C-alpha cells in the first residue's frame, strides 16, 4: 500500500515538473525580450518606433520602416480577407447542410493546419514569379498580402460560422415569418445580433497573421528600406526579427529582441481585446 | 422575392466555393510551379536523390526528407510525455481557478510567433545548451553514434527538435485536456469505488481517451513538419545524412525558406517540388488526425 502511495507521489511530481518545463521557456523568452529589448526601447523611445534601421556597426536606429511595412501588408490582407471570410462564414452557418458548405468546412479545417510556407510558395508562383506569375513582378509586398489573406480566410470563416450558429433558430423563423427577404434577414437581423462575434473572428484571424514570417519571406523577400511600392519588397516586423536575429551584429540582435517584445505585446493586446469582446457577448458587461 | 432570396445565397455561396477551392488551388499551384522541373528530371530520381547541390545541378530530396522526419519525430517524442502529463496535472490535480490561469498561460505560449521562438533558440537556448548539455553529452556519451560530433555546435538537430517540441506542446495540451474533460463521470466513480488510487484512475481515463490523444499528437506532428522559420534559425542548415543529433541538417521547409527568394529557373522549380513533397506529407498527417477526430465527434465526444 505504501509503495502505491510512493508511486502516486512520484507521478504527481512528474506531472508538475512537466508544467514547469512548459512555463520556464516562456518566462525565459519574456525575460530576454524585456531585459534586452525593453532596455533599448526605453533608451530610444521615439527613434525606435519612427526611425529606419542602421547599417551594421552603427549605433541606433529603429523599426519604423518595419512597422509601416507591416501596416501596409496587414491592411491589404485584412481588406481582402475580412469580406471573403465573413461571407463564406455566413454561408457555412446559414446553409449548413448543403454539400458546398460541408466541402468548404472540411477544406477549412485542413487549411487551418496547412503549412503557411506553402501558401507563400503558391501565391508567389501564381502572382509574382517572373516565369509563371500573372503579374510577373518578382518578390513583392502585394503577394505577401495575398498570402496572408489566404491564411486568414478559413480561420475567419469558421469563427464567423460559430458566431452565427449561436443565434437561436426562433429569430430566423420570426424574421422570415414577417416576410423579410433573406438579404434583410442576414444583413439587418442576424449580422447585427452577432456583431461582436464577427469582430472577435476578425481579431482571431489578425492575431494569426500578425506574427507570420514564412509566407512573407517566400513571397516578398527581405528588405530593410521604407515601403515604396506594392510591386517591390517591403519590410515587416517578423521578417526584421528574422534577419536581425540571424545577423552576427550585437546592435541588430538587441533590436531584434526589442521588435520581438513589441510584436508580443501587440499579439497579447489583440488576444486581450478578443477575450474582452467575447466576455461582453456572453455576460453583457 | 424568390429571386432575391436565391441571389443572396448565390452571392454568399460563391465565397464559400472560393474557400472550398483554396486547397485544390494550392495543389494545382504546386504541380504547376514544379512542372518545369519535372519535365527535365524524373520524380523518382528527385525523391530518391541523395544530394542537393546547386553547382552540380543535383536536386535530390532525400536529405531534406530525412531532416524533416528526424526533427519532427524527435519533437513528437519530446512532446508526448510532457503534453499528457501537463494536461493531466491541469485537469485532474490542480484546483479549478489555478488550472484556468494556467490555461491562459498555455494559450499565450501557443500565440508566440514562430520567429520569436526562433530568436530565443538562436540567441539564448542554443548557446546555453552547447555550453552545458551538449558538452556533457559529447564528453560522456560521445561513444553513442547519436551523440557524436566533430565540433561542438549550438545549432543542430537536437536544438531544432527542442524548439519544435516547445512550439507544438501547448496545442497538444489543450486538445488532450479537452478530451479528459469528456470522460464520463461514471467511469471515474466506478474506478474510485474499486479502491483504486488517483493515478490508477488517471491511467484508466487516459486509456479511455486514447484515440483523442492520438489525434492531438498527429495534429502536433503536422505542425512540427510544417514549421519553417524557427527551425531554419536553429538547425544549422547543412544538408547531411549524419545519424548524430548534434550535427546540423536541413529540412524540406528550411531549404525552401533559405533559397526561395533568390532562386530562379530550375532551382526555383525544384524548391517548389520540395513543396509538393511537403504538401503530401502534411496533408496526410492532417487527414489522418482529422478522420480520427471526426470519428470521436460521433463517439465519446458527442
Amino acid at each position: 500500500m505504501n509503495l502505491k502511495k510512493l508511486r502516486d507521489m512520484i507521478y504527481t511530481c512528474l506531472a508538475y515538473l512537466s508544467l514547469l518545463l512548459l512555463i520556464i521557456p516562456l518566462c525565459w523568452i519574456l525575460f530576454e525580450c524585456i531585459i534586452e529589448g525593453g532596455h533599448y526601447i526605453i533608451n530610444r523611445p521615439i527613434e525606435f518606433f519612427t526611425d529606419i534601421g542602421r547599417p551594421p556597426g552603427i549605433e541606433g536606429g529603429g523599426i519604423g520602416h518595419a512597422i509601416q511595412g507591416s501596416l501596409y501588408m496587414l491592411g491589404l490582407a485584412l481588406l481582402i480577407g475580412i469580406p471573403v471570410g465573413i461571407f463564406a462564414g455566413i454561408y457555412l452557418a446559414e446553409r449548413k447542410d448543403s454539400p458546398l458548405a460541408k466541402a468548404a468546412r472540411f477544406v477549412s479545417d485542413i487549411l487551418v493546419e496547412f503549412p503557411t510556407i506553402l501558401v507563400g510558395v503558391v501565391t508567389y508562383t501564381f502572382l509574382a514569379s517572373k516565369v509563371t506569375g500573372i503579374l510577373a513582378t518578382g518578390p513583392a509586398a502585394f503577394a505577401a498580402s495575398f498570402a496572408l489573406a489566404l491564411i486568414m480566410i478559413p480561420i475567419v470563416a469558421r469563427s464567423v460560422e460559430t458566431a452565427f450558429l449561436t443565434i437561436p433558430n426562433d429569430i430566423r423563423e420570426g424574421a422570415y415569418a414577417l416576410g423579410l427577404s433573406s438579404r434583410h434577414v442576414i444583413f439587418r437581423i442576424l449580422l447585427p445580433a452577432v456583431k461582436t462575434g464577427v469582430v472577435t473572428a476578425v481579431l482571431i484571424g489578425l492575431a494569426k497573421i500578425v506574427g507570420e514570417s514564412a509566407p512573407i519571406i517566400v513571397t516578398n523577400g527581405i528588405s530593410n528600406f521604407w515601403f515604396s511600392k506594392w510591386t517591390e519588397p517591403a519590410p515587416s516586423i517578423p521578417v526584421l526579427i528574422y534577419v536581425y536575429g540571424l545577423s552576427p551584429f550585437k546592435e541588430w540582435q538587441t533590436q531584434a529582441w526589442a521588435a520581438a517584445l513589441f510584436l508580443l505585446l501587440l499579439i497579447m493586446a489583440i488576444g486581450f481585446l478578443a477575450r474582452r469582446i467575447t466576455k461582453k457577448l456572453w455576460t453583457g458587461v | 422575392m424568390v429571386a432575391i432570396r436565391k441571389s443572396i445565397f448565390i452571392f454568399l455561396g460563391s465565397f464559400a466555393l472560393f474557400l472550398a477551392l483554396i486547397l485544390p488551388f494550392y495543389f494545382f499551384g504546386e504541380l504547376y510551379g514544379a512542372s518545369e522541373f519535372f519535365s527535365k528530371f524524373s520524380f523518382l530520381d528527385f525523391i530518391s536523390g541523395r544530394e542537393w547541390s546547386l553547382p552540380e545541378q543535383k536536386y535530390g530530396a532525400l536529405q531534406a526528407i530525412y531532416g524533416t522526419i528526424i526533427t519532427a519525430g524527435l519533437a513528437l517524442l519530446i512532446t508526448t510525455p510532457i503534453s499528457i502529463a501537463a494536461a493531466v496535472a491541469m485537469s485532474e490535480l490542480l484546483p479549478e481557478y489555478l488550472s484556468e490561469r494556467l490555461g491562459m498561460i498555455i494559450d499565450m505560449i501557443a500565440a508566440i510567433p514562430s520567429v520569436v521562438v526562433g530568436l530565443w533558440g538562436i540567441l539564448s537556448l542554443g548557446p546555453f545548451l552547447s555550453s552545458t548539455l551538449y558538452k556533457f553529452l559529447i564528453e560522456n556519451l560521445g561513444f553513442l553514434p547519436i551523440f557524436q560530433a566533430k565540433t561542438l555546435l549550438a545549432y543542430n538537430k537536437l536544438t531544432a527538435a527542442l524548439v519544435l517540441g516547445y512550439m507544438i506542446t501547448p496545442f497538444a495540451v489543450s486538445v488532450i485536456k479537452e478530451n479528459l474533460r469528456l470522460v464520463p463521470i461514471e467511469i471515474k466513480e466506478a474506478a474510485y469505488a474499486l479502491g483504486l488510487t488517483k493515478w490508477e484512475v488517471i491511467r484508466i481515463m487516459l486509456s479511455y481517451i486514447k484515440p483523442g490523444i492520438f489525434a492531438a499528437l498527429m495534429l502536433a506532428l503536422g505542425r512540427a513538419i510544417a514549421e519553417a522559420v524557427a527551425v531554419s534559425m536553429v538547425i544549422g542548415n547543412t544538408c547531411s545524412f549524419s545519424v548524430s543529433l548534434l550535427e546540423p541538417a536541413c529540412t524540406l521547409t528550411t531549404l525552401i525558406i533559405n533559397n526561395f527568394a533568390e532562386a530562379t529557373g530550375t532551382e526555383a522549380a525544384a524548391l517548389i517540388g520540395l513543396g509538393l513533397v511537403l504538401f503530401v506529407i502534411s496533408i496526410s498527417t492532417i487527414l489522418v488526425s482529422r478522420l480520427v477526430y471526426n470519428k470521436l465527434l460521433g463517439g465519446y465526444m458527442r
Side-chain angles (χ1 to χ4, degrees):
Chain A
M1 199 57 198
N2 259 336
L3 215 66
K4 269 189 178 174
K5 254 188 188 155
L6 187 71
R7 193 192 56 188
D8 265 32
M9 234 165 74
I10 292 171
Y11 279 156
T12 309
C13 287
L14 284 177
Y16 287 137
L17 184 74
S18 67
L19 277 181
L20 265 185
L21 282 177
L22 275 175
I23 292 167
I24 287 171
L26 174 71
C27 296
W28 191 354
I29 293 173
L30 291 177
F31 177 79
E32 293 268 8
C33 280
I34 292 166
I35 295 294
E36 294 257 338
H39 192 245
Y40 188 87
I41 297 179
I42 287 170
N43 278 343
R44 310 162 189 273
I46 297 165
E47 189 184 351
F48 180 72
F49 291 107
T50 54
D51 210 347
I52 194 170
R54 298 265 188 281
I58 297 171
E59 285 272 307
I63 61 163
H65 59 308
I67 296 175
Q68 182 212 29
S70 269
L71 282 179
Y72 273 107
M73 265 182 211
L74 293 172
L76 181 60
L78 289 177
L79 219 59
I80 304 165
I82 291 176
V84 177
I86 290 179
F87 290 144
I90 295 175
Y91 187 86
L92 291 186
E94 296 305 304
R95 279 282 179 271
K96 55 175 181 274
D97 292 324
S98 73
L100 177 57
K102 278 181 183 154
R105 203 172 293 132
F106 179 72
V107 166
S108 50
D109 279 347
I110 291 176
L111 288 179
V112 171
E113 302 293 328
F114 194 75
T116 50
I117 186 172
L118 289 185
V119 180
V121 169
V122 172
T123 319
Y124 184 81
T125 307
F126 272 120
L127 286 177
S129 162
K130 285 206 167 116
V131 187
T132 50
I134 302 169
L135 297 162
T137 53
F142 81 91
S145 289
F146 270 89
L148 293 178
L150 281 174
I151 294 167
M152 177 185 183
I153 287 166
I155 300 167
V156 175
R158 288 292 286 189
S159 314
V160 168
E161 182 201 2
T162 317
F164 266 74
L165 287 177
T166 58
I167 304 172
N169 246 339
D170 305 357
I171 293 181
R172 285 189 191 91
E173 281 162 12
Y176 280 120
L178 287 173
L180 297 178
S181 70
S182 300
R183 189 165 48 118
H184 270 87
V185 174
I186 288 169
F187 290 111
R188 296 277 171 79
I189 313 264
L190 300 182
L191 193 58
V194 290
K195 182 164 85 226
T196 47
V198 172
V199 174
T200 312
V202 170
L203 287 176
I204 292 172
L206 179 63
K208 165 89 181 168
I209 61 171
V210 101
E212 278 296 345
S213 40
I216 300 181
I217 294 170
V218 169
T219 49
N220 167 73
I222 287 158
S223 156
N224 213 4
F225 304 104
W226 291 98
F227 178 95
S228 57
K229 271 193 237 144
W230 283 108
T231 51
E232 302 257 318
S236 62
I237 302 170
V239 178
L240 179 129
I241 298 173
Y242 176 75
V243 175
Y244 281 14
L246 282 171
S247 78
F249 315 113
K250 190 79 189 101
E251 309 90 59
W252 277 20
Q253 291 176 357
T254 314
Q255 287 182 46
W257 283 118
L261 177 65
F262 178 62
L263 190 59
L264 279 179
L265 288 178
L266 202 66
I267 288 173
M268 274 180 210
I270 295 171
F272 177 76
L273 208 64
R275 249 201 305 277
R276 216 30 222 284
I277 292 172
T278 319
K279 213 173 173 187
K280 209 170 170 186
L281 177 67
W282 295 121
T283 57
V285 278
Chain B
M1 215 52 185
V2 173
I4 294 170
R5 182 167 298 185
K6 277 208 170 128
S7 73
I8 184 69
F9 280 112
I10 290 171
F11 171 74
L12 293 173
S14 63
F15 288 98
L17 183 67
F18 175 78
L19 176 59
L21 287 179
I22 290 180
L23 191 63
F25 166 77
Y26 287 165
F27 186 62
F28 176 69
E30 289 287 334
L31 280 181
Y32 174 61
S35 60
E36 190 209 330
F37 178 76
F38 288 124
S39 63
K40 285 188 219 150
F41 299 82
S42 86
F43 185 72
L44 219 66
D45 283 348
F46 175 68
I47 203 104
S48 62
R50 293 174 61 87
E51 211 177 337
W52 181 276
S53 150
L54 294 183
E56 294 171 58
Q57 289 278 305
K58 275 187 184 159
Y59 301 103
L62 214 53
Q63 281 177 334
I65 296 173
Y66 171 77
T68 296
I69 290 173
I70 294 285
T71 50
L74 205 58
L76 183 67
L77 226 61
I78 295 166
T79 202
T80 303
I82 293 180
S83 59
I84 294 175
V88 167
M90 284 172 71
S91 76
E92 300 301 314
L93 303 180
L94 290 171
E96 186 89 6
Y97 70 97
L98 251 178
S99 110
E100 234 171 68
R101 291 274 145 76
L102 263 174
M104 273 165 78
I105 292 177
I106 302 276
D107 285 347
M108 211 162 107
I109 300 172
I112 303 176
S114 59
V115 69
V116 175
V117 183
L119 184 72
W120 167 70
I122 195 169
L123 295 182
S124 303
L125 184 71
F128 171 74
L129 286 177
S130 77
S131 63
T132 52
L133 179 70
Y134 296 164
K135 210 165 154 202
F136 171 82
L137 287 176
I138 290 176
E139 277 166 10
N140 297 297
L141 294 167
F143 57 88
L144 294 172
I146 53 166
F147 293 133
Q148 269 166 7
K150 282 182 217 97
T151 46
L152 184 65
L153 293 166
Y155 311 117
N156 52 41
K157 294 193 204 76
L158 191 55
T159 317
L162 286 170
V163 166
L164 271 180
Y166 188 61
M167 293 178 71
I168 61 177
T169 305
F171 176 72
V173 171
S174 50
V175 178
I176 295 173
K177 207 174 65 187
E178 198 59 29
N179 272 285
L180 275 173
R181 220 168 43 84
L182 293 166
V183 176
I185 190 82
E186 290 87 351
I187 289 186
K188 273 161 91 174
E189 281 168 353
Y192 277 120
L194 285 173
L196 300 181
T197 64
K198 186 154 210 166
W199 275 94
E200 284 166 334
V201 177
I202 287 171
R203 251 180 60 195
I204 290 171
M205 290 169 73
L206 286 177
S207 68
Y208 185 81
I209 60 161
K210 232 183 248 162
I213 295 176
F214 176 76
L217 291 174
M218 280 301 272
L219 277 181
L221 178 68
R223 291 197 170 190
I225 292 169
E227 180 47 51
V229 173
V231 188
S232 82
M233 287 170 96
V234 295
I235 201 169
N237 293 315
T238 314
C239 290
S240 79
F241 278 116
S242 74
V243 187
S244 170
L245 298 179
L246 300 180
E247 285 193 342
C250 63
T251 72
L252 292 167
T253 51
T254 62
L255 268 184
I256 298 175
I257 202 156
N258 285 326
N259 304 310
F260 195 74
E262 293 104 45
T264 47
T266 314
E267 191 199 355
L271 288 171
I272 301 174
L274 287 182
L276 193 62
V277 177
L278 176 64
F279 184 100
V280 173
I281 296 177
S282 61
I283 283 291
S284 29
T285 51
I286 297 168
L287 273 181
V288 168
S289 60
R290 271 284 149 208
L291 287 180
V292 174
Y293 205 76
N294 285 352
K295 222 170 187 177
L296 291 181
L297 288 178
Y300 67 76
M301 284 182 75
R302 187 163 36 190

